[in-house]
Amino acid sequence: SYAQVMAAGGNPIMITGESGTGKELVAKGIHQAGPMPQGPFVAVNVSAIPASMFESQFFGHAKGAFTGAEAPYRGYFEQADGGTLFLDEIGELPVGLQSKLLRVLEEKSFYPLGAAKPIWVDVRVISASNRNLNKACQEGNFRLDLFYRLKSAHIHLPPLAERPGDIPFLARHFLKKACGQHKKDVQGFSAEA
């Protein structure tokens, strides 16, 4: 199917849909079906990263790069090397930082803060947004070149109310997750549930 081809290809994928539609779960599935399933899956909520910390969080820093940098730090791109970097809420990334992300996607390398040598990475990027990024591009709030770089392929997830057939799968997934967390062994749901 088309989804399997997208997953196997290793190209960037954009997942859109309302909050709570399961974008991260789909991203994990794509990672597992992709060319580097044994590699790390690093999920980042872009909206939770302060602009002043963007470079340090995404690209890392060398020891002594700034006050308080007492040890080197591997940023999200380096942590995801050989795997997948999931950028959730990518539409919240300030325009001024979008060019820095675009450059890494184009070059596949970056300089950690305070470092003299670049780091090269092999990372698949999956991004997600609940915003209309086409409209954000038209309004100048999202770079069109970054949008196209992130959207080699596109998956739109409709609200769960429009896909009730997914409910049993999701219920089993969350049951399994809860059983693991609470060390219980519940086999499934009754027909009534």
Side-chain angles (χ1 to χ4, degrees), residues 5-67:
V5 170
M6 285 192 307
N11 294 328
I13 294 177
M14 171 76 67
I15 304 171
T16 57
E18 294 176 7
S19 293
T21 55
K23 294 183 290 292
E24 185 170 348
L25 188 61
V26 169
K28 285 179 181 177
I30 292 169
H31 168 72
Q32 290 300 314
M36 301 181 282
Q38 65 278 22
F41 178 86
V42 178
V44 179
N45 181 347
V46 174
S47 66
I49 308 293
S52 62
M53 298 292 294
F54 175 82
E55 288 185 80
S56 177
Q57 293 295 301
F58 278 82
F59 311 136
H61 60 257
K63 179 180 178 180
F66 51 85
T67 303

Side-chain angles (χ1 to χ4, degrees), residues 32 36 69 77 85 92 127 137 163 170:
Q32 290 300 314
M36 301 181 282
F77 271 97
L85 179 59
E92 303 303 319
S127 54
C137 289
R163 48 190 178 103
L170 291 169

Side-chain angles (χ1 to χ4, degrees), residues 5 11 32 38 40 90 99 105 113 116 119 125 148 158 161 175 179:
V5 170
N11 294 328
Q32 290 300 314
Q38 65 278 22
I90 190 66
S99 61
L105 296 175
L113 290 175
I119 292 178
V125 175
Y148 285 120
L175 176 64
C179 285

Side-chain angles (χ1 to χ4, degrees), residues 132-145 147:
N132 181 335
L133 293 182
N134 283 318
K135 185 177 178 185
C137 289
Q138 293 169 357
E139 294 170 349
N141 296 320
F142 203 83
R143 291 180 60 117
L144 189 60
D145 50 359
F147 177 67

